Amino acid sequence: MKIAKKIFGLFILLISLLFCVSINAAEKNRLDAKDFITESNEDQTTEINNFLITCKTRKMDAFFSKGVYKFNGTVVLADGVSLFGEEGTIFRGTGTTYQSYIRDTKEKVTNITIDHIIFDNVTMYFQNSNSTNITIKNNIFANAKRVDLSISTGLQPVNNQNGGEWTGYYIAKNHKTITIKSNLFFRDENSLGRCLSIYYTENALIQDNYFGIVEDIDNSIVSPETKALKEEAIASGILSEKSNQGYFMSAINVINSDKNAKIIGNHFSINTDISEERYEDRSQSTDGYNRDHIIYAKMFNGLEVVGNYFKGMNKNQDGGIKFRNGENLLIHKNVLEDTMILLYVQNANTNLWFRNVHIKENIFINRFYTTDSYTSSITKIKKNFSAEFLFLLMNYEQTADVTNITIESNKMISPKFANEEVRIDNLNYAMPTNVTVRNNINSIVNQSIRTQIVRTNGKATWYDSNTSGPNFSNVSNETEVFVMDTSAYEDLSVDALVNLNEVAFELQERKLVTNAKQIFVDGTLYNDQDLAYGEHTIFLTDPTTVPLVVEGTTRTLQTNLFTAQKILVERTYKITFENNQHGNRIENQYLSKLPDELPVLSEDGYIFGGWFLDENFTQEAIAGKTIEQDTDLYAKWTKVYTITYNNLGHGAMPESLSNVLALPASLPMLVEEGYTFGGWYLDAEFTTKAIENTSISEDVTLYAKWDKIPVYTITFDSQGGTSVASISLLKGSKLDELQEPTKEGYVFKGWYADKEYTTLWNIDDIIERDITLYAKWDKIPVYTVTFDSQGGTSIASVSLTKGSKLDKLQEPTKEGYVFKGWYVDKE
């Protein structure tokens, strides 16, 4: 029976838990995939598709609990059905040759979210031109294989140029609106290709995503929520902490006629050490080196690229971030590390214009650099190299409209090598109009960046960029500067995105101390001289060499790690610390201000009162205050004393007090049984009582005063009853309990304070003297019970006290009769 009850109880508990799960799922309006998909199946494509149809029918979203969902084919999204996962939810494409797919088909998909799923060898396509309001967030994408060209569109596999089936996307969106936010994207050497593609979209948003090398995530600019996905990716086993990632052909493609797209706050850490064999396209600029840019955008109208960090990819015409044939472009407050910006017009089949462009307040960092150039056909390159410029504006069309281009207030961080320049090249075609290049600064050498204008006749003219702008023959110096609205991004601090301190140095007195191989101070090579007082810009390099492999031939190129920052050489004065014969001696210091933390001294018997600017201690020294002369600081001390307690052998002994100036605010209270504590006195004769908070000028001993409490005896006279022992108690005590004596034939009636029994003693009475208590008794009456047997056998009489009972009645006998009981009357 007990076992049956236990089983029934467990059954009820299980039903309750399932009911709670159902309630929670219902509250979120989601169906759980585990109730519809068989876990053991190696290919769950059909079950997943049927599950999504069920979700659509029931008008509920799809929830995929932790586990691996395997499919070798296409999962078809359902209109209005979002896909939610949890930590450890993996969608795994199991194809050995091609990726698996999640996509819409002939039917549109609208208003869906795909949230918190790890996509392992999976591509996501939205091809229906009416699919809209798609949100893809908090996901991880990795391990993509080749794409099936019979399914995927948007590629250019002509003669296998541009990589063909190796260059598919993780996410591609055709038309309408999409948000791609807070995702991680990875590609290793076995999954070369592109990442995101949008075309014909409106108001697309790509924000807070991370692309590339695993070990750079923790120091990236993406949000903590996006960074946290790294540990989830490692825990899932799809990659490790040292996974070799970042092998993107391109990260983001804004392909065709997109309107008002935004690329904001993403971090790109692209692997530069990559074989280019699959990407051969015989490019006119860099034959054999056709990685298709970190961002490649063309034919757009309204594109904002703001607050991103770009790192890696080759820095030439086939690298960096590229914008082609568009208008209303804002490139604002980005960091570009070994990456360039390329603007150009090309191809008569697309919009022949590049206009209304504002490139402002970006930071360019040159870590790797070379002035080497290669003109021969290259089929394999294992390291990036740079062109001669960071901005390149080119026109490949005779009738192109290139106008309203503003490049201003950008910062370059690097020694002034030849590649720190802006180049505007019309290639003998139509010249741009209303182009302004101004206030672009090399922050290391504090000089303006040069602008190179390549004119139609092939000659180059250089301009300093702090002038009013390039003086084209058809543009006047009064040309109005084109400005786009950047108010939405005013609070973004691009300098906070850059960590520049890599080469260690110290500033000792007025000299730089460092192991750096090359030091620039304000743009001039430093030769260990004393630096002038004031602010300086320093640039420290630590050159190394790396191999560049070109068609089997190894060549050596120089690269740099660096530190670039402002330093302040301050005029210093001697600060002398006078400790006034107490505490530790402090060494003199040479500073331009008092230390931010003044030394704290200590010595037994004294209190340190701080530092003062004068011997009379009237002007306190303030930490960090600027000084303009040699300064003496004086330590203030106050003599302090010890208080010792003497408890005179009673109560707990309080601990002594050291380093005090007065009696304590609260003197300790002592207790001991048999004594009354009478307070503390300054002398053993108890003539002067100690007063709390009283100032003292010498060491003090305090004496505890005690008064002994009298002891009284209580004697018990039991008046013939059993004996009760006497008790001794302190004056003021009470008798907690009074023992009761006994006396045969009597009832005890209490203890009385007098023999006349006039005052009954109560346990609440206080003991104030020696006393005797008297027991009072009442005698108990005795009665005789006589038995008349009416001619039967004789029964003896019985004597009993009042209130007693006859425990047993003896029965007489009488020959010829039956005894019928005893009666109290003859009748």
Side-chain angles (χ1 to χ4, degrees):
M1 180 62 73
K2 291 182 178 179
I3 295 176
K5 286 183 177 179
K6 289 184 178 179
I7 293 174
F8 180 74
L10 291 173
F11 176 75
I12 294 299
L13 177 61
L14 179 60
I15 293 300
S16 300
L17 291 174
L18 290 174
F19 179 73
C20 290
V21 171
S22 299
I23 291 295
N24 292 335
E27 287 176 352
K28 295 182 178 180
N29 195 35
R30 298 175 183 174
L31 285 181
D32 196 331
K34 68 182 180 182
D35 297 329
F36 296 84
I37 297 173
T38 305
E39 184 176 354
S40 60
N41 285 353
E42 288 303 312
D43 186 0
Q44 300 164 326
T45 309
T46 301
E47 289 181 303
I48 295 173
N49 283 323
N50 290 338
F51 170 57
L52 295 180
I53 293 172
T54 301
C55 291
K56 180 179 179 181
T57 303
R58 299 188 187 182
K59 297 182 179 180
M60 300 179 74
D61 291 326
F63 175 71
F64 295 86
S65 55
K66 180 178 180 179
V68 180
Y69 299 84
K70 304 175 287 291
F71 56 102
N72 180 13
T74 299
V75 168
V76 179
L77 295 166
D79 189 24
V81 178
S82 294
L83 278 60
F84 295 95
E86 60 181 353
E87 185 171 341
T89 298
I90 301 176
F91 274 30
R92 176 160 291 152
T94 58
T96 57
T97 301
Y98 296 118
Q99 303 176 65
S100 295
Y101 298 88
I102 294 179
R103 56 175 299 190
D104 57 9
T105 52
K106 295 181 179 179
E107 295 185 7
K108 68 178 182 180
V109 174
T110 61
N111 302 315
I112 70 167
T113 296
I114 300 176
D115 187 352
H116 216 113
I117 298 174
I118 299 172
F119 293 101
D120 184 8
N121 189 32
V122 176
T123 287
M124 198 175 295
Y125 278 97
F126 296 89
Q127 297 287 296
N128 192 301
S129 61
N130 291 314
S131 292
T132 189
N133 295 337
I134 310 299
T135 299
I136 303 172
K137 64 177 183 176
N138 306 319
N139 303 288
I140 302 167
F141 295 81
N143 300 328
K145 295 183 176 66
R146 291 181 290 174
V147 295
D148 186 345
L149 298 180
S150 65
I151 297 176
S152 306
T153 61
L155 302 178
Q156 299 174 343
V158 179
N159 297 325
N160 203 34
Q161 294 182 22
N162 293 323
E165 62 183 17
W166 290 99
T167 61
Y169 303 103
Y170 274 127
I171 301 172
K173 177 68 175 73
N174 179 5
H175 291 84
K176 300 298 189 297
T177 301
I178 188 170
T179 295
I180 303 172
K181 188 172 182 179
S182 300
N183 303 280
L184 300 185
F185 297 96
F186 302 105
R187 282 191 178 277
D188 62 17
E189 290 179 292
N190 298 314
S191 61
L192 308 173
R194 299 180 171 106
C195 190
L196 306 180
S197 169
I198 58 174
Y199 47 107
Y200 295 103
T201 61
E202 295 183 11
N203 302 314
L205 174 63
I206 302 173
Q207 183 175 4
D208 192 35
N209 300 284
Y210 180 87
F211 304 78
I213 300 172
V214 178
E215 53 264 38
D216 285 353
I217 295 177
D218 293 338
N219 294 321
S220 67
I221 68 168
V222 293
S223 68
E225 292 76 15
T226 305
K227 290 179 181 179
L229 293 173
K230 168 191 168 184
E231 297 306 320
E232 186 173 336
I234 293 172
S236 72
I238 66 166
L239 51 95
S240 68
E241 186 80 40
K242 296 296 183 181
S243 292
N244 200 9
Q245 301 289 335
Y247 288 88
F248 292 92
M249 181 178 182
S250 66
I252 298 176
N253 290 73
V254 182
I255 297 297
N256 197 10
S257 301
D258 296 272
K259 296 181 179 179
N260 301 323
K262 295 185 178 182
I263 302 173
I264 301 174
N266 303 280
H267 194 107
F268 305 82
S269 184
I270 307 301
N271 197 317
T272 59
D273 188 14
I274 182 171
S275 170
E276 297 289 336
E277 289 176 306
R278 294 172 182 158
Y279 301 154
E280 170 65 49
D281 74 339
R282 301 166 186 83
S283 165
Q284 61 181 354
S285 302
T286 52
D287 197 11
Y289 203 1
N290 189 42
R291 297 186 75 178
D292 203 18
H293 308 271
I294 301 177
I295 294 178
Y296 177 25
K298 69 175 182 178
M299 295 176 61
F300 51 85
N301 185 352
L303 175 59
E304 296 180 14
V305 181
V306 179
N308 303 281
Y309 198 108
F310 300 97
K311 176 184 176 182
M313 193 83 74
N314 44 302
K315 187 167 54 179
N316 54 26
Q317 289 99 315
D318 282 332
I321 55 177
K322 178 170 73 172
F323 304 90
R324 167 184 171 187
N325 297 42
E327 59 184 330
N328 299 317
L329 169 64
L330 174 64
I331 305 176
H332 183 44
K333 291 188 174 182
N334 302 280
V335 177
L336 298 96
E337 182 177 331
D338 297 307
T339 302
M340 69 171 294
I341 295 176
L342 172 63
L343 317 175
Y344 71 103
V345 178
Q346 186 180 28
N347 193 334
N349 295 324
T350 59
N351 304 346
L352 292 183
W353 59 67
F354 209 98
R355 55 200 182 197
N356 301 342
V357 177
H358 197 182
I359 303 174
K360 181 181 180 183
E361 296 178 6
N362 301 281
I363 292 180
F364 291 81
I365 301 173
N366 273 356
R367 293 182 186 272
F368 301 101
Y369 67 93
T370 176
T371 56
D372 286 0
S373 61
Y374 301 92
T375 56
S376 61
S377 176
I378 300 171
T379 59
K380 199 171 185 178
I381 295 179
K382 292 294 290 182
K383 198 68 183 177
N384 66 329
F385 62 93
S386 54
E388 295 182 348
F389 26 77
L390 296 180
F391 295 105
L392 176 62
L393 173 60
M394 304 184 72
N395 177 24
Y396 291 89
E397 300 294 337
Q398 184 64 48
T399 60
D401 176 10
V402 182
T403 185
N404 290 343
I405 313 294
T406 299
I407 304 171
E408 67 170 327
S409 301
N410 298 283
K411 181 189 297 184
M412 284 62 172
I413 299 176
S414 176
K416 194 171 184 179
F417 301 120
N419 57 352
E420 284 190 309
E421 290 142 8
V422 176
R423 177 169 177 164
I424 300 173
D425 193 341
N426 70 326
L427 298 176
N428 293 322
Y429 297 123
M431 289 296 297
T433 58
N434 199 18
V435 176
T436 302
V437 182
R438 64 176 188 173
N439 299 329
N440 300 289
I441 300 298
N442 181 326
S443 63
I444 303 307
V445 296
N446 282 335
Q447 295 179 13
S448 298
I449 301 305
R450 296 187 303 170
T451 301
Q452 185 182 37
I453 311 301
V454 181
R455 295 173 179 263
T456 303
N457 59 14
K459 294 181 180 180
T461 302
W462 292 99
Y463 295 86
D464 285 336
S465 60
N466 59 352
T467 61
S468 60
N471 185 16
F472 292 117
S473 57
N474 59 342
V475 181
S476 69
N477 288 334
E478 289 76 33
T479 300
E480 181 180 354
V481 177
F482 173 71
V483 177
M484 295 186 72
D485 182 16
T486 60
S487 58
Y489 307 109
E490 288 178 356
D491 295 335
L492 177 62
S493 174
V494 67
D495 292 281
L497 305 180
V498 185
N499 179 15
L500 303 177
N501 299 313
E502 296 196 11
V503 181
F505 75 95
E506 292 181 7
L507 186 61
Q508 295 182 0
E509 296 298 320
R510 294 169 59 185
K511 292 184 182 295
L512 280 172
V513 179
T514 176
N515 291 326
K517 300 299 188 298
Q518 199 174 35
I519 307 170
F520 290 86
V521 176
D522 300 326
T524 302
L525 196 64
Y526 178 66
N527 291 311
D528 202 38
Q529 71 271 24
D530 285 349
L531 298 178
Y533 296 119
E535 187 179 73
H536 299 278
T537 301
I538 66 169
F539 180 86
L540 314 178
T541 68
D542 189 8
T544 60
T545 57
V546 295
L548 175 68
V549 179
V550 181
E551 294 183 336
T553 301
T554 301
R555 302 180 62 177
T556 298
L557 296 178
Q558 181 172 267
T559 67
N560 274 287
L561 297 176
F562 65 86
T563 292
Q565 68 178 55
K566 302 284 187 182
I567 63 169
L568 181 63
V569 179
E570 299 175 304
R571 187 178 297 276
T572 60
Y573 301 95
K574 180 181 179 181
I575 301 175
T576 303
F577 295 90
E578 177 55 61
N579 68 348
N580 284 325
Q581 287 77 52
H582 297 293
N584 297 330
R585 186 72 184 174
I586 306 299
E587 295 295 329
N588 298 335
Q589 297 183 21
Y590 295 84
L591 301 169
S592 62
K593 61 180 182 178
L594 297 184
D596 292 332
E597 294 185 7
L598 292 169
V600 177
L601 305 183
S602 63
E603 184 171 312
D604 288 341
Y606 293 86
I607 293 178
F608 173 63
W611 296 97
F612 288 78
L613 297 173
D614 62 315
E615 296 180 88
N616 298 321
F617 311 117
T618 61
Q619 186 176 359
E620 187 173 3
I622 300 174
K625 183 177 181 180
T626 301
I627 56 176
E628 297 180 354
Q629 60 185 6
D630 292 344
T631 302
D632 294 332
L633 299 182
Y634 300 89
K636 181 179 180 181
W637 297 96
T638 303
K639 179 76 173 109
V640 289
Y641 306 97
T642 299
I643 297 173
T644 305
Y645 294 96
N646 188 339
N647 67 352
L648 292 177
H650 300 293
M653 180 69 81
E655 292 185 1
S656 298
L657 300 177
S658 301
N659 300 327
V660 296
L661 295 171
L663 297 182
S666 178
L667 290 166
M669 294 293 295
L670 304 185
V671 293
E672 183 166 314
E673 188 174 358
Y675 292 86
T676 300
F677 175 61
W680 295 97
Y681 286 79
L682 296 173
D683 58 316
E685 292 75 29
F686 310 118
T687 59
T688 305
K689 192 165 186 177
I691 307 299
E692 295 171 334
N693 281 328
T694 302
S695 298
I696 58 176
S697 58
E698 61 182 353
D699 293 339
V700 170
T701 299
L702 298 181
Y703 299 89
K705 183 180 180 183
W706 298 97
D707 293 320
K708 187 170 180 57
I709 303 173
V711 177
Y712 296 110
T713 301
I714 298 91
T715 304
F716 298 92
D717 184 349
S718 62
Q719 297 287 311
T722 54
S723 177
V724 177
S726 298
I727 299 174
S728 296
L729 293 175
L730 294 173
K731 179 183 178 181
S733 301
K734 296 178 182 181
L735 281 165
D736 294 336
E737 184 177 356
L738 291 171
Q739 185 178 342
E740 293 187 3
T742 60
K743 185 177 180 181
E744 188 174 354
Y746 290 85
V747 176
F748 178 67
K749 301 301 287 186
W751 292 102
Y752 284 79
D754 56 330
K755 288 183 178 182
E756 291 76 25
Y757 308 121
T758 60
T759 304
L760 178 66
W761 186 265
N762 193 296
I763 61 173
D764 290 328
D765 291 342
I766 303 299
I767 305 299
E768 298 288 347
R769 54 185 171 76
D770 292 335
I771 59 172
T772 300
L773 298 181
Y774 301 91
K776 182 179 179 182
W777 301 98
D778 284 346
K779 186 172 179 57
I780 304 173
V782 177
Y783 299 100
T784 300
V785 182
T786 304
F787 299 91
D788 182 355
S789 63
Q790 297 289 314
T793 55
S794 177
I795 302 298
S797 298
V798 178
S799 295
L800 294 173
T801 59
K802 182 183 178 180
S804 299
K805 295 180 181 181
L806 283 165
D807 293 336
K808 184 176 182 182
L809 291 174
Q810 188 175 350
E811 294 184 4
T813 61
K814 185 177 181 181
E815 189 175 351
Y817 289 87
V818 176
F819 177 67
K820 301 298 289 185
W822 293 103
Y823 288 80
V824 296
D825 59 328
K826 287 184 178 183
E827 290 75 31

